[in-house]
Amino acid sequence: MILNMGPQHPSTHGVLRLELITDGEIIVEVIPHLGYLHRCFEKHCESLTYPQIIPYTDRMDYLASMNNNHGFVMGVERMLGIDKDIPKRVEYIRVLVCELNRIASHLIAIGTYGIDIGAFTPFMWCFRDREHIMNLLEWASGARMLYNYIWVGGLFYDLPVGFEDRCKEFINYFKPKMGELNGLLTHNQIFIDRTANVGVLPLDVAINYGVSGPMLRASGLKYDLRRIDEYSAYPEIEFDIPVGKGEMGTVGDCWDRYKVRVDEIEQSVKIVEQCLERLTKELKRDKEFDPRAKLPRKCTPKAQDFYVRAENPKGELGFYFIADGKREIPFRVKSRGPSFNNLSVVNEISKGCMIADLIAILGSMDFVLGEVDR
Amino acid sequence: MDFNEIKQLLIDKFGNEVIVAEQADGLQPSLTIKKEMIADVCRELRDNELTYFDFLSCLSGVDYGLELKKMGVVYHLSSIPYKKQLTLKVECDFDRESNDLPSFPTVSEVWRTADWHEREAYDLFGINFEGHPDLRRILLPDDWEGYPLRKDYKTAAEYKGIKIDY
C-alpha cells in the first residue's frame, strides 16, 4: 500500500512529504519529496554582496543561526585574507554565542523528540530552558531567532554590559536541569523501548551517505570539524567529542543519536564556561575595543573558488564560493546543508521497520527543512 | 599524501591525459579531470590506501557564464582517516542554443551521497549524469520548465496558468 505521511505530520517538521510503500505495518520503501519550502538561496546569492547574504544564511537552519553566520563569515574572511587579523575577543564571543546556540538547537531536538515518542513534559522543560538562551542572544543581537550578529571582519555589536554575568547565572541554573531531564527521558524504560535498536545506522553506511554531525558520531566515529579544522578559537578550548557507545542497544540506533546530543550539550556548557572565563579575565571589554574595526570597506575577494566547512549542531555545513575578482557579488554560492545529506539516508535505515518506528527515526535525525530545501 | 603526490598517483595509474588542468596556487588547490574518467578517478581515490577519500563533502554544478560556454561539476572530497581535503573538477563545452544537456559520468556508485547531489545539479543546472539510477528533479516540481541556476534563466512568469507574483 502507498501511504502519504506529511506534509503536515508533526514528525515531518513542517513541510516534508514522505511517500511510504508499506506491506501491512512494515515499511518497504520511503521516498522523501522535498522542495515545498524552496527559497532560492543560491539564486539570491548571485545578486547580493557578501555581507548582504549573511541574513539569508540565518534562515537556512533557523534554529542555529549563529552557527550558520559563523560558517559563512569564516569563508568570506578566508577569501579576503583577513582571517588572521580578527581580534581574540571577537573570536571568543563568536564561539560563546555559537555554543549557546548549539545548546538551544539540541534542546529543541531533544524536546521535540520527546513529543514524537509521546512524552510531553520534556518538551516543556526543554523549551523553558531554551527560552533563557533566546533571551540572552536577543539581548546581544536585537533579534530573537535570526540574529545576523556575526559579521565579516567582526561582530555587529559588542556584547552588552553585564552579559557575561547573566550568562554565568544561566549556566549555574542550567547545569542541574540537564540532570533532571536525563532522569525523565534518557533512562526512561518506555523511551528506551521505543528508541533502542531502532533505525540502526552502521558507520560505513553513514560515511557513504555523507551523514555528518551527531548522527555520524552516534555511529561511533570521533569526527568533529571543530577539532579537525581547528577554526576560530576552538584549538585553545578543551572539550570532548561524545560518540555513540550502544549502551542500550546497538551502536548507531536512535537512542545513541539522542544521547550524543545530550552529551554534546554538556560539552557545550563546558566550552561556554571557558569562554566566559577568558572574556571576563584577560580579554576584558575596554573602551577602545571596536568589534567592527576590521570590517573591510569593500568585500571583493580575488578570483578564486573556496570551500569552507564548519560544525553546525546538525553536522557539516559547507559553503562553496566562486568569486570572479571583479565584482562584490559572488559568482556562485552553493551551500551544503547537513540536514539534506542526513535525510538522504532515511530510506536505507527504515526498511523493514514499523510505521511507528519511522517517527522515532525521523525525530532522531533532527533535520530542519530550511536547510533541506534551501 | 600531499597534492603533488596525489597528482602523480593519478598519472601513474591512468596516464598523462587524465589531468586536463590544475590550479596549484590559491587557498585550495584543485585538479581538473578528464570528464570520461571522473568515476574511475573517484573510485581509485576512495579505495587506495594512501589517499582514502571516503567522504564526499559536497558536489556542486557550476555554470561558468555566458562568455565561456562551459558547464562543470566540482567535487569536494575529504578523507576522514588522513584529515585531508581535495577538490576535483570536470568541465565540458556547452552550447546554450542546443537542446542537449551537458553530460558527465555519475559518481553515485562511488559515494551514495552523490545520488541526491547529482539530482540537485540536474534539477537546477540541467546537467545530465550518465548512469545515475534515478535522475529526477528533487527540489522543483517534475513539470517545471528550465533550469533556474543557469546564468541565462528567465524567471518564470506563471506555473500551470497561475501567475507567479513576486
Side-chain angles (χ1 to χ4, degrees):
Chain A
M1 191 168 77
I2 295 176
L3 252 180
N4 276 307
M5 189 185 268
Q8 270 80 37
H9 190 282
S11 86
T12 55
H13 296 266
V15 282
L16 170 74
R17 179 162 79 92
L18 294 173
E19 198 178 314
L20 313 183
I21 299 172
T22 56
D23 177 16
E25 259 203 82
I26 308 290
I27 291 167
V28 180
E29 205 163 338
V30 184
I31 307 164
H33 292 267
L34 339 162
Y36 290 86
L37 202 74
H38 198 51
R39 296 184 323 283
C40 324
F41 172 73
E42 289 168 15
K43 192 75 180 171
H44 274 308
C45 291
E46 291 173 15
S47 53
L48 298 167
T49 64
Y50 290 94
Q52 279 173 341
I53 297 171
I54 297 172
Y56 284 79
T57 61
D58 281 338
R59 284 144 178 88
M60 282 186 39
D61 176 357
Y62 38 79
L63 301 178
S65 306
M66 288 291 187
N67 300 70
N68 294 357
N69 286 173
H70 194 194
F72 184 86
V73 163
M74 264 194 324
V76 179
E77 282 169 358
R78 284 289 293 281
M79 284 204 299
L80 290 167
I82 57 168
D83 57 316
K84 296 279 182 295
D85 310 334
I86 308 296
K88 263 268 138 22
R89 181 171 162 86
V90 169
E91 293 282 20
Y92 271 93
I93 293 174
R94 283 181 182 182
V95 171
L96 173 72
V97 291
C98 281
E99 292 305 322
L100 283 174
N101 213 176
R102 190 185 306 273
I103 296 172
S105 170
H106 282 338
L107 280 176
I108 289 208
I110 293 166
T112 52
Y113 195 41
I115 285 222
D116 286 345
I117 300 293
F120 193 66
T121 318
F123 172 75
M124 297 306 270
W125 287 12
C126 284
F127 268 66
R128 176 196 60 197
D129 295 340
R130 173 177 174 266
E131 197 60 31
H132 296 290
I133 299 179
M134 303 301 274
N135 287 339
L136 281 173
L137 294 180
E138 184 181 355
W139 191 26
S141 70
R144 228 184 122 61
M145 265 179 93
L146 307 165
Y147 308 112
N148 158 24
Y149 176 64
I150 299 174
W151 210 246
V152 178
L155 303 162
F156 219 91
Y157 316 99
D158 198 354
L159 289 178
V161 178
F163 186 90
E164 288 92 339
D165 302 331
R166 201 78 91 72
C167 198
K168 258 185 204 151
E169 270 170 38
F170 163 72
I171 292 294
N172 291 336
Y173 154 86
F174 182 64
K175 270 185 180 164
K177 292 288 183 248
M178 278 320 284
E180 286 173 23
L181 186 76
N182 280 339
L184 186 69
L185 202 57
T186 313
H187 303 293
N188 182 328
Q189 195 53 46
I190 302 168
F191 183 74
I192 293 169
D193 285 348
R194 282 296 307 275
T195 53
N197 287 323
V198 172
V200 178
L201 176 64
L203 184 58
D204 55 329
V205 177
I207 293 172
N208 205 7
Y209 273 89
V211 169
S212 52
M215 257 184 99
L216 179 64
R217 288 194 282 278
S219 297
L221 183 68
K222 232 179 187 163
Y223 185 74
D224 191 317
L225 293 177
R226 288 177 289 179
R227 277 282 178 255
I228 307 279
D229 282 6
E230 307 216 309
Y231 60 86
S232 205
Y234 285 112
E236 296 163 29
I237 294 171
E238 267 176 56
F239 62 98
D240 297 330
I241 304 168
V243 289
K245 297 195 189 74
E247 270 169 68
M248 296 295 165
T250 326
V251 175
D253 57 8
C254 289
W255 193 86
D256 265 358
R257 287 199 276 278
Y258 160 82
K259 187 68 177 17
V260 163
R261 289 200 183 93
V262 173
D263 292 348
E264 243 173 58
I265 289 184
E266 227 167 85
Q267 297 304 322
S268 289
V269 168
K270 252 167 85 179
I271 299 176
V272 168
E273 279 179 324
Q274 290 175 52
C275 286
L276 287 174
E277 183 80 19
R278 299 278 312 253
L279 283 173
T280 47
K281 297 228 169 83
E282 66 251 54
L283 298 169
K284 255 194 186 144
R285 161 199 344 264
D286 56 40
K287 277 206 180 99
E288 265 78 78
F289 177 73
D290 178 7
R292 306 173 76 174
K294 292 283 180 261
L295 232 60
R297 284 263 173 277
K298 245 183 162 188
C299 281
T300 320
K302 54 179 195 268
Q304 59 187 321
D305 56 336
F306 184 64
Y307 177 75
V308 64
R309 51 184 195 173
E311 184 74 29
N312 246 33
K314 315 251 174 334
E316 174 181 337
L317 173 77
F319 288 103
Y320 174 57
F321 300 95
I322 302 180
D324 57 7
K326 289 182 288 246
R327 298 174 305 161
E328 282 179 84
I329 297 169
F331 184 76
R332 163 122 170 84
V333 177
K334 150 100 185 176
S335 68
R336 177 242 198 249
S339 305
F340 182 76
N341 292 271
N342 290 356
L343 183 63
S344 68
V345 81
V346 65
N347 184 29
E348 188 70 29
I349 60 173
S350 53
K351 274 179 191 163
C353 283
M354 301 291 218
I355 293 174
D357 286 344
L358 181 63
I359 312 296
I361 294 172
L362 283 177
S364 74
M365 285 183 174
D366 178 34
F367 49 83
V368 158
L369 262 294
E371 212 171 46
V372 176
D373 287 353
R374 288 192 295 286
Chain B
M1 271 191 133
D2 66 6
F3 181 69
N4 286 320
E5 284 170 329
I6 291 170
K7 201 178 118 194
Q8 197 54 46
L9 181 128
L10 289 179
I11 289 173
D12 291 346
K13 176 91 186 174
F14 297 101
N16 260 326
E17 71 273 26
V18 63
I19 295 166
V20 181
E22 69 162 295
Q23 196 191 5
D25 54 343
L27 288 167
Q28 282 170 337
S30 67
L31 291 173
T32 307
I33 304 289
K34 198 178 169 195
K35 68 166 184 167
E36 287 80 13
M37 293 170 128
I38 182 69
D40 297 328
V41 166
C42 286
R43 189 168 290 116
E44 175 65 26
L45 286 175
R46 184 196 65 178
D47 293 340
N48 197 320
E49 288 171 2
L50 297 169
T51 51
Y52 213 68
F53 284 102
D54 49 356
F55 192 87
L56 178 69
S57 290
C58 184
L59 184 156
S60 6
V62 182
D63 179 353
Y64 286 101
L66 299 171
E67 298 99 56
L68 278 172
K69 297 197 170 78
K70 262 195 323 186
M71 285 281 220
V73 178
V74 184
Y75 306 83
H76 290 97
L77 325 181
S78 65
S79 160
I80 293 177
Y82 292 115
K83 299 179 182 172
K84 282 272 190 299
Q85 280 179 284
L86 181 68
T87 312
L88 299 180
K89 293 179 183 176
V90 288
E91 286 168 2
C92 79
D93 295 331
F94 171 59
D95 177 19
R96 268 165 225 280
E97 305 304 314
S98 79
N99 283 324
D100 300 342
L101 299 178
S103 184
F104 300 101
T106 177
V107 294
S108 60
E109 301 286 307
V110 186
W111 301 283
R112 287 302 303 275
T113 176
D115 186 331
W116 275 28
H117 279 281
E118 285 179 351
R119 275 176 69 188
E120 195 191 328
Y122 166 72
D123 187 358
L124 303 175
F125 283 96
I127 295 172
N128 182 34
F129 290 95
E130 297 152 30
H132 189 281
D134 182 24
L135 200 61
R136 295 179 283 129
R137 283 187 180 263
I138 187 167
L139 296 176
L140 294 168
D142 289 338
D143 54 355
W144 191 266
E145 278 175 26
Y147 303 104
L149 278 182
R150 282 193 184 174
K151 294 286 176 190
D152 60 344
Y153 178 73
K154 297 261 186 314
T155 316
E158 58 172 34
Y159 174 62
K160 286 184 171 171
I162 305 163
K163 192 163 164 280
I164 302 174
D165 203 3
Y166 295 101

